[in-house]
């Protein structure tokens, strides 16, 4: 459990995250896509991300590109109804912040109206104009650099980024441009640990790593990955803490066996008819049709 969760039950805010960065207390962030996962995560983590990863984690897509604003709004509303103590961040999906500042503000503002505390968007210097437009409208923005899943086609797949000098130095420069544009934190994904450490050291805002080594201000993993719920191949940077897929399937299998054997439902799972009605029900017969 993170220091924030141990020390306070107050809502997590941007200043709280900044204090964590300044005091070198690790930030813990995970995803949630519905009320059930949000209620499990909220007492444990500091930031809940309603990620566009809902596309490949929950909706059966191969990547995040098909995820729409309507889908994101649906899942955000479900999480927001739990009124989490953790900061609630919503991912801006593909094409929701690429066309114009007006569209970007409208989409991000809709997230805040639905209960998000902040939005996250992918990309470096190309996104500075949109970030500034959001910040000018008092919409807090978390940036995202490195392996940005919405750029999967341009990158030629899900590959580690920043492995040559030009790319590494560009990422560092992008990180500072996003900080100057007003981002309150940055996600660093799929980059060498040394590069993430240099970015974290040089920035005043927190960094949250995923496949970026141990030196970031915090770490994020997908809820379903940490709990082993997908039952499939996991990326190198994931550590599975519970074989959730196997455990849940075993529980469901035990129930199915009981149903097929007649052991479920038992009297304790069944309702009883009132005494005065039992005789009438037992003696009832269907009316004969004319």
């Amino acid at each position: 459990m993170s220091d924030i969760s141990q020390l306070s039950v107050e809502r997590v805010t941007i200043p709280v995250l900044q204090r964590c960065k300044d005091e070198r207390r690790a930030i813990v962030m995970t995803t949630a896509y519905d009320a059930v996962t949000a209620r499990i995560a909220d007492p444990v983590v500091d930031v809940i991300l309603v990620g566009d990863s809902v596309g490949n984690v929950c909706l059966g897509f191969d990547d995040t590109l098909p995820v729409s604003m309507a889908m994101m709004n649906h899942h955000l509303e479900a999480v927001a109804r739990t009124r989490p103590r953790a900061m609630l961040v919503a991912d801006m999906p593909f094409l929701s912040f690429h066309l114009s500042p007006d569209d970007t503000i409208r989409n991000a503002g809709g997230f805040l109206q639905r209960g998000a505390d902040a939005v996250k968007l992918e990309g470096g210097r190309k996104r500075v104009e949109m970030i500034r437009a959001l910040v000018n409208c008092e919409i807090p923005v978390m940036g995202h650099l490195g392996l940005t899943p919405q750029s999967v086609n341009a990158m030629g797949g899900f590959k580690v980024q920043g492995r040559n000098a030009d790319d590494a130095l560009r990422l560092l420069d992008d990180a500072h441009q996003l900080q100057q544009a007003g981002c309150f934190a940055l996600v660093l994904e799929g980059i060498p640990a040394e590069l993430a450490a240099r970015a974290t050291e040089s920035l005043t805002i927190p960094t949250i790593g995923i496949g970026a080594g141990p030196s970031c201000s915090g770490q994020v993993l997908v809820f379903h990955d940490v709990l082993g719920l997908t039952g499939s191949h996991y990326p190198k940077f994931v550590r599975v803490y519970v074989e959730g897929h196997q455990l849940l399937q075993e529980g469901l299998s035990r129930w199915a066996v009981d149903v097929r054997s007649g052991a479920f439902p038992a009297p304790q799972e069944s309702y009883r008819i009132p005494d005065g009605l039992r005789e009438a029900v037992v003696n009832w017969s269907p009316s004969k049709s004319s």
Side-chain angles (χ1 to χ4, degrees):
M1 186 175 293
S2 77
D3 289 336
I4 293 176
S5 301
Q6 289 175 343
L7 296 175
S8 176
V9 294
E10 69 176 328
R11 289 210 64 201
V12 180
T13 62
I14 291 171
V16 172
L17 295 183
Q18 187 61 51
R19 284 205 308 271
C20 286
K21 158 80 171 180
D22 297 339
E23 298 171 6
R24 299 182 180 276
R25 291 187 284 126
I27 298 164
V28 181
M29 174 168 152
T30 193
T31 58
Y33 311 113
D34 56 31
V36 172
T37 52
R39 290 190 179 106
I40 294 170
D42 187 44
V44 179
V45 305
D46 311 313
V47 183
I48 291 175
L49 172 67
V50 182
D52 61 355
S53 51
V54 67
N56 39 317
V57 174
C58 298
L59 303 181
F61 298 129
D62 292 331
D63 51 48
T64 63
L65 296 180
V67 176
S68 65
M69 280 298 300
M71 295 173 188
M72 289 300 302
N73 285 334
H74 174 80
H75 289 275
L76 170 61
E77 288 170 359
V79 173
R81 290 186 193 109
T82 69
R83 301 183 182 277
R85 171 203 56 82
M87 175 181 283
L88 181 55
V89 180
D91 251 338
M92 300 285 289
F94 184 60
L95 292 182
S96 68
F97 59 97
H98 301 73
L99 303 180
S100 74
D102 286 346
D103 286 336
T104 301
I105 292 167
R106 187 177 302 108
N107 289 329
F111 280 165
L112 265 63
Q113 290 174 326
R114 288 170 170 83
D117 299 310
V119 302
K120 182 173 77 65
L121 58 81
E122 297 181 7
R125 65 197 69 191
K126 293 179 181 178
R127 308 302 170 214
V128 165
E129 178 187 6
M130 301 305 181
I131 292 168
R132 285 183 174 146
L134 293 175
V135 172
N136 285 339
C137 289
E138 312 299 336
I139 298 173
V141 180
M142 178 181 286
H144 185 157
L145 294 173
L147 197 172
T148 47
Q150 291 174 16
S151 304
V152 59
N153 292 328
M155 291 178 173
F158 296 101
K159 300 178 180 179
V160 175
Q161 302 298 302
R163 277 186 155 167
N164 65 58
D166 288 344
D167 289 345
L169 296 178
R170 185 181 301 111
L171 185 143
L172 291 172
D173 188 59
D174 282 356
H176 280 265
Q177 290 200 36
L178 265 57
Q179 176 176 265
Q180 291 167 8
C183 286
F184 70 88
L186 294 182
V187 169
L188 301 176
E189 180 171 358
I191 64 173
E194 299 85 353
L195 179 57
R198 183 68 185 105
T200 301
E201 175 191 40
S202 67
L203 293 166
T204 60
I205 61 175
T207 61
I208 300 175
I210 175 168
S215 298
C216 295
S217 310
Q219 299 291 328
V220 57
L221 283 178
V222 168
F223 179 98
H224 294 63
D225 288 346
V226 176
L227 300 183
L229 293 174
T230 61
S232 58
H233 173 73
Y234 297 97
K236 172 184 172 65
F237 54 78
V238 169
R239 183 182 297 176
V240 176
Y241 283 80
V242 179
E243 294 295 342
H245 182 272
Q246 180 179 342
L247 288 173
L248 294 175
Q249 194 169 71
E250 286 175 357
L252 196 64
S253 295
R254 288 168 56 197
W255 172 69
V257 167
D258 283 353
V259 170
R260 291 175 179 132
S261 69
F264 178 89
Q268 63 266 29
E269 291 107 14
S270 302
Y271 298 103
R272 308 298 299 177
I273 196 167
D275 290 339
L277 185 58
R278 184 176 293 109
E279 184 177 352
V281 169
V282 169
N283 293 331
W284 174 87
S285 62
S287 300
K288 295 180 179 179
S289 57
S290 57

